[in-house]
């Protein structure tokens, strides 16, 4: 569904992303991991073409650079780490913005199909009951689910998620990824997600890519990529030993 070929991003003399290649296929929850500064967010920006880069990105064999931005929004939805709403829009209003790519103009009104899709997105993310609430009153978890619902209203085939559960309480982390896990089961859908938490990668991902200083250190199945030696080399600590010791506290 999405093919990345030799993607690189250079700022000054430093390569932030260095020759990254991988394929995203139907039903994948493809996890991108690496320490802070490894290049995860920069990689996602390059994939979406929001920063200068070299290399190619193909959506269903079509160079993404040749696709109109509005048409691209019908295929790919992006969720970033942080949202800071400044105005007292309702949850419904924010979610309805996901239908923008399907409107003839910014003055177009929502039709019956739009409203049905918006309601379904609100229900999937568990925020239908607060649809008339101001986004300025929401908790972090509710706000993140609001923007996830906006993505679902956009009705893309591919979700690109940059730390979608970062800084959320545990119950909201689980809720976000449970929703994503169910969504990706639909026909012709896939997810590309950057995460920090290894447990999230193991629990929800089927494929993974481990970045280190902008380069691909390992890629393949989650089990292969998150092998003990790989994690120790990249994170400079025996992650497996640390987590096993941590689990003893729960026995």
């Amino acid at each position: 569904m999405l093919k990345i070929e030799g993607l690189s991003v250079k700022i000054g003399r430093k390569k932030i992303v260095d020759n990254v290649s991988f394929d995203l296929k139907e039903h994948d929850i493809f996890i991108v991991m690496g320490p802070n500064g490894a290049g995860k967010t920069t990689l996602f920006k390059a994939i979406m073409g929001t920063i200068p880069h070299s290399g190619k990105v193909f959506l269903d064999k079509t160079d993404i650079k040749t696709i109109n931005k509005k048409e691209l929004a019908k295929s790919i939805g992006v969720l970033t780490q942080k949202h800071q709403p400044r105005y007292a829009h309702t949850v419904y209003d924010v979610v309805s913005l996901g239908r923008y790519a399907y409107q003839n103009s910014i003055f177009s009104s929502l039709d019956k199909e739009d409203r049905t899709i918006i309601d379904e997105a609100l229900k999937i993310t568990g925020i239908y009951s607060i649809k008339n609430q101001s986004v300025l009153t929401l908790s972090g978890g509710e706000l993140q689910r609001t923007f996830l619902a906006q993505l679902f209203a956009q009705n893309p085939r591919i979700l690109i998620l940059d730390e979608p559960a970062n800084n959320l309480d545990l119950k909201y982390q689980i809720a976000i990824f449970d929703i994503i896990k169910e969504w990706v089961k639909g026909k012709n859908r896939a997810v590309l997600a950057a995460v920090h938490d290894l447990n999230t990668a193991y629990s929800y991902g089927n494929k993974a890519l481990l970045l280190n200083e902008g380069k691909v250190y390992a890629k393949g199945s989650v089990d292969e990529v998150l092998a003990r030696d790989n994690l120790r080399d990249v994170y400079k600590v025996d992650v497996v030993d640390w987590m096993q010791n941590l689990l003893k506290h729960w026995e």
Side-chain angles (χ1 to χ4, degrees):
M1 295 179 66
L2 199 64
K3 187 176 185 64
I4 316 301
E5 290 187 351
L7 212 61
S8 295
V9 177
K10 192 174 183 181
I11 299 178
R13 296 183 178 181
K14 183 177 176 60
K15 275 195 174 181
I16 309 301
V17 175
D18 191 355
N19 195 32
V20 173
S21 300
F22 63 90
D23 295 336
L24 182 71
K25 298 182 179 180
E26 185 180 19
H27 304 311
D28 277 349
I29 298 182
F30 195 112
I31 304 294
V32 178
M33 301 194 71
N36 289 333
K40 301 184 294 295
T41 296
T42 303
L43 172 64
F44 285 6
K45 289 179 178 179
I47 290 172
M48 293 308 300
T50 60
I51 58 174
H53 62 276
S54 59
K56 295 284 188 179
V57 180
F58 296 97
L59 174 65
D60 295 330
K61 299 182 180 180
T62 300
D63 190 330
I64 206 170
K65 290 181 179 178
T66 67
I67 303 174
N68 177 279
K69 294 298 182 184
K70 202 169 183 179
E71 288 302 312
L72 187 60
K74 296 178 182 179
S75 292
I76 302 177
V78 182
L79 184 66
T80 56
Q81 295 182 31
K82 297 179 181 179
H83 308 281
Q84 295 179 321
R86 299 179 180 179
Y87 303 102
H89 297 301
T90 66
V91 169
Y92 190 95
D93 287 341
V94 171
V95 174
S96 69
L97 292 175
R99 300 302 299 162
Y100 167 75
Y102 300 88
Q103 305 300 309
N104 292 326
S105 74
I106 60 173
F107 302 108
S108 298
S109 59
L110 299 171
D111 61 21
K112 183 178 180 181
E113 181 183 5
D114 291 325
R115 295 188 181 280
T116 298
I117 292 171
I118 291 166
D119 284 347
E120 183 63 22
L122 289 163
K123 291 172 183 176
I124 288 172
T125 51
I127 56 172
Y128 187 83
S129 62
I130 60 170
K131 66 178 182 178
N132 295 318
Q133 193 169 319
S134 164
V135 292
L136 298 180
T137 68
L138 302 183
S139 69
E142 290 169 335
L143 189 62
Q144 191 71 332
R145 282 186 287 158
T146 296
F147 282 94
L148 183 60
Q150 185 187 91
L151 280 196
F152 289 153
Q154 190 176 323
N155 200 27
R157 298 182 293 118
I158 297 171
L159 298 183
I160 296 181
L161 313 172
D162 188 5
E163 300 285 356
N166 195 32
N167 297 322
L168 297 184
D169 290 342
L170 181 59
K171 69 174 182 178
Y172 290 123
Q173 293 180 34
I174 295 170
I176 290 291
F177 274 96
D178 280 349
I179 292 166
I180 292 165
K181 185 178 180 179
E182 283 303 308
W183 177 87
V184 82
K185 293 178 182 177
K187 184 178 179 181
N188 206 24
R189 291 177 176 176
V191 174
L192 178 65
V195 302
H196 270 299
D197 185 66
L198 295 173
N199 292 315
T200 299
Y202 272 120
S203 298
Y204 296 99
N206 66 310
K207 293 179 183 176
L209 182 148
L210 185 60
L211 283 176
N212 188 35
E213 297 182 349
K215 297 180 180 180
V216 176
Y217 191 88
K219 65 180 175 181
S221 70
V222 170
D223 286 340
E224 291 171 339
V225 171
L226 302 187
R228 186 175 200 148
D229 289 346
N230 290 342
L231 296 177
R232 183 170 50 217
D233 290 346
V234 170
Y235 289 97
K236 310 305 179 187
V237 64
D238 192 333
V239 177
V240 174
D241 183 62
W242 180 81
M243 294 191 72
Q244 287 175 340
N245 286 329
L246 188 64
L247 285 172
K248 293 178 182 178
H249 294 289
W250 301 98
E251 294 178 351

